[in-house]
Amino acid sequence: VPVHLVDRRPQVAAGDLVSGLVPPPLFDQVSFASYRPDPTEPSQAAARVTLEQFADRVGALPARASRFRRRSAAGVAAPGGVYLDGGFGVGKTHLLASLWHAVPGPKAYATFVELTHLAGALGFGGVVEALGGMRLLAVDEFELDDPGDTVLVSTLLTRLTERGVALAATSNTLPEALGEGRFASEDFLREIQGLASRFTTVRVDGPDYRHRGLPAPLPPLADAEVIAQTTDLTASRDDFTALHRHLLDLHPSRFGALLDGVTRVGLLGVAPVPDEATALRIVVLADRLYDRQLPLVASGVPFDQVFSPAMLGGGYRKKYLRAISRLLALTRLGRQLPTPPAE
Ligand SMILES: Nc1ncnc2c1ncn2[C@@H]1O[C@H](COP(=O)(O)OP(=O)(O)OP(=O)(O)O)[C@@H](O)[C@H]1O
Ligand SMILES: [Mg+2]
């Protein structure tokens, strides 16, 4: 009998949040050495060199035993931050995690969503205490869905840089262009500007690595095939529409825990999503599925038809394209698996 994700409402303890601030499983083992720059995209090799140098600089800073502010020793430059800018699937997370692995601890790695959740659990001051002693904080997928969260995270990053924490971040747009005209608040713009000035931008150009030289998306399976491939205890099987309705009721920070113990995900009746709120939840779910490299088996429409042309032409275009790229990659993973024996 498979798991039904719609029956789960996970809670996560505060202590587990801090100890869980490491790269996701897919990026456990990555390194600068395993990053293969595309020779036709010179920015990739250049980005690796810049990040290796940044890792050396951050690693050379004296480690701190106390939580007090680090004063820059003579001749030691303040660490500041690097911002990896590029399209989806160019290897930003690979490089960010490689940087994290290359720097000696204490250090932390989190997505933007995880940081906001941490702040919810520990309070702002609690997060500053928990992370203020780090040598490096890597933040993947800086998001701007919510101006409140953006201010929260940029203020947090500002406090942490003041304590001498080196920062590294990714998102799909330049810090100066984040939120492009979607939010008018002057405070918000001021926050972004302040944040942007702390980062050196490292550009990573290139095509989506996940689809380098790959054929067109696989056609979806029939319902019966999805059912046959999701019969074991660690598979999940849900109706796509019921699942995305459930996601609207659940904070996005819980989507990872929703997938605990699941080794394969079945979705029945994948269909175009009705609205942007749902679409953005699907994006977060796609991220958590992808972090865990969960093979996907699905019936209905192919994932490149889930988001409407209007959505794909709107402000969240890059998020949707990234989600499609990830879901198609997981679908391919799903096809390589043998069908388990039926119950
Ligand atoms: N140059 C490269 N050499 C080796 N592996 C790579 C390279 N670029 C990407 N990859 C691999 O391709 C996959 C996608 O890369 P990654 O997730 O780092 O891209 P990304 O830019 O963070 O994409 P997204 O926009 O989806 O966040 C990962 O498994 C990563 O390890
Ligand atoms: Mg990434």
Side-chain angles (χ1 to χ4, degrees), residues 11-12 51 161 192 214 239 243 245 257 292 295 302 327:
Q11 304 290 331
V12 183
L51 293 172
T161 22
I192 286 302
L214 287 166
D239 173 71
L243 179 62
R245 288 198 185 124
R292 288 161 179 74
L327 291 167

Side-chain angles (χ1 to χ4, degrees), residues 3-26:
V3 166
H4 296 294
L5 299 177
V6 295
D7 296 335
R8 293 184 158 188
R9 304 194 71 84
Q11 304 290 331
V12 183
D16 294 342
L17 293 175
V18 179
S19 60
L21 297 178
V22 298
L26 175 62

Side-chain angles (χ1 to χ4, degrees), residues 26-27 30 34-38 44 86-95 140-141 172 208-210 212 290 322 325-326:
L26 175 62
F27 299 97
V30 298
S34 70
Y35 178 76
R36 294 193 301 280
D38 182 341
Q44 295 190 0
F88 49 93
V90 294
K92 299 181 301 296
T93 300
H94 188 122
L95 287 167
D140 202 10
E141 295 168 13
N172 281 342
D208 188 341
Y209 189 90
R210 289 182 284 259
R212 264 193 212 173
Y290 185 71
R322 182 182 71 191
S325 161
R326 291 179 164 194

Side-chain angles (χ1 to χ4, degrees), residues 5 27 36-37 72 79 99 108 145 155 185 193 199 202 210 217 224 232 236 275 313 317 321-322:
L5 299 177
F27 299 97
R36 294 193 301 280
S72 294
L99 169 67
D145 290 350
T155 308
S185 151
Q193 304 263 303
F199 286 90
V202 180
R210 289 182 284 259
D232 51 318
S236 71
D275 53 61
R317 171 182 172 76
L321 292 177
R322 182 182 71 191

Side-chain angles (χ1 to χ4, degrees), residues 161-172:
T161 22
E162 286 164 5
R163 291 197 175 209
V165 179
L167 300 174
T170 78
S171 88
N172 281 342

